[in-house]
């Protein structure tokens, strides 16, 4: 990811943050979200930019830094928190890397997931609701 995009006119534009949330109320885990899986809680800011989704570590805590370009996303699913916490939802992202398909889950408040889905839809990323 080179940090800039090319517009139709060919000029370089800087990457812009369209929506961000966290670190409070954000849990990130590798793979499908589970209450029994090790998670990094309240230490990562999630940014949806003009290029993709980023996890930005905060406070020197054990955070999960990541960058997922929109073009590498294979699928997205949204589902409720496994403990049926009504205020929380999970955004599960499967994406292509050189090593094959990887999976990352972000658990956060409903309004963050809804806004993230709006941004993702504007980049024509299909989102599937499941396991409500």
């Amino acid at each position: 990811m080179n940090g800039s995009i090319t517009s139709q006119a060919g000029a370089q534009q800087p990457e812009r943050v369209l929506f961000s949330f966290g670190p409070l109320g954000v849990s990130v885990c590798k793979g499908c979200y589970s209450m029994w899986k090790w998670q990094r809680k309240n230490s990562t800011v999630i940014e949806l930019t003009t290029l993709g989704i980023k996890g930005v570590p905060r406070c020197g805590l054990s955070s999960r830094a990541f960058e997922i370009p929109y073009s590498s996303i294979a699928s997205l699913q949204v589902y409720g928190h496994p403990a049926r916490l009504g205020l929380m939802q999970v955004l599960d992202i499967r994406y292509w890397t050189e090593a094959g398909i990887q999976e990352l889950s972000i658990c956060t408040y409903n309004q963050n997931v809804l806004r993230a889905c709006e941004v993702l839809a504007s980049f024509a990323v299909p989102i599937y609701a499941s396991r409500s």
Side-chain angles (χ1 to χ4, degrees):
M1 198 140 128
N2 63 10
S4 63
I5 60 173
T6 303
S7 71
Q8 291 177 346
Q12 294 280 322
Q13 294 181 350
E15 181 176 22
R16 291 181 301 118
V17 175
L18 303 171
F19 177 62
S20 69
F21 55 92
L24 297 176
V26 173
S27 297
V28 178
C29 68
K30 198 169 192 167
C32 186
Y33 187 84
S34 167
M35 294 185 310
W36 311 110
K37 189 179 279 187
W38 189 71
Q39 308 157 22
R40 291 182 169 94
K41 295 182 180 181
N42 301 325
S43 63
T44 306
V45 171
I46 307 300
E47 294 181 345
L48 284 87
T49 73
T50 51
L51 298 176
I53 303 170
K54 291 184 179 182
V56 181
R58 291 289 188 231
C59 306
L61 301 170
S62 64
S63 300
R64 182 173 302 283
F66 61 87
E67 287 188 42
I68 304 171
Y70 294 128
S71 60
S72 71
I73 294 175
S75 69
L76 289 170
Q77 286 190 316
V78 174
Y79 52 90
H81 190 282
R84 307 243 188 257
L85 298 175
L87 298 176
M88 306 291 277
Q89 285 187 317
V90 177
L91 179 61
D92 186 74
I93 307 164
R94 291 180 185 214
Y95 59 100
W96 289 99
T97 68
E98 290 179 3
I101 289 278
Q102 302 292 316
E103 186 174 12
L104 183 95
S105 296
I106 303 166
C107 182
T108 187
Y109 297 107
N110 292 337
Q111 70 270 17
N112 291 335
V113 172
L114 292 173
R115 178 65 180 118
C117 287
E118 289 174 5
V119 171
L120 291 162
S122 72
F123 287 93
V125 176
I127 302 163
Y128 304 97
S130 66
R131 296 190 272 173
S132 298

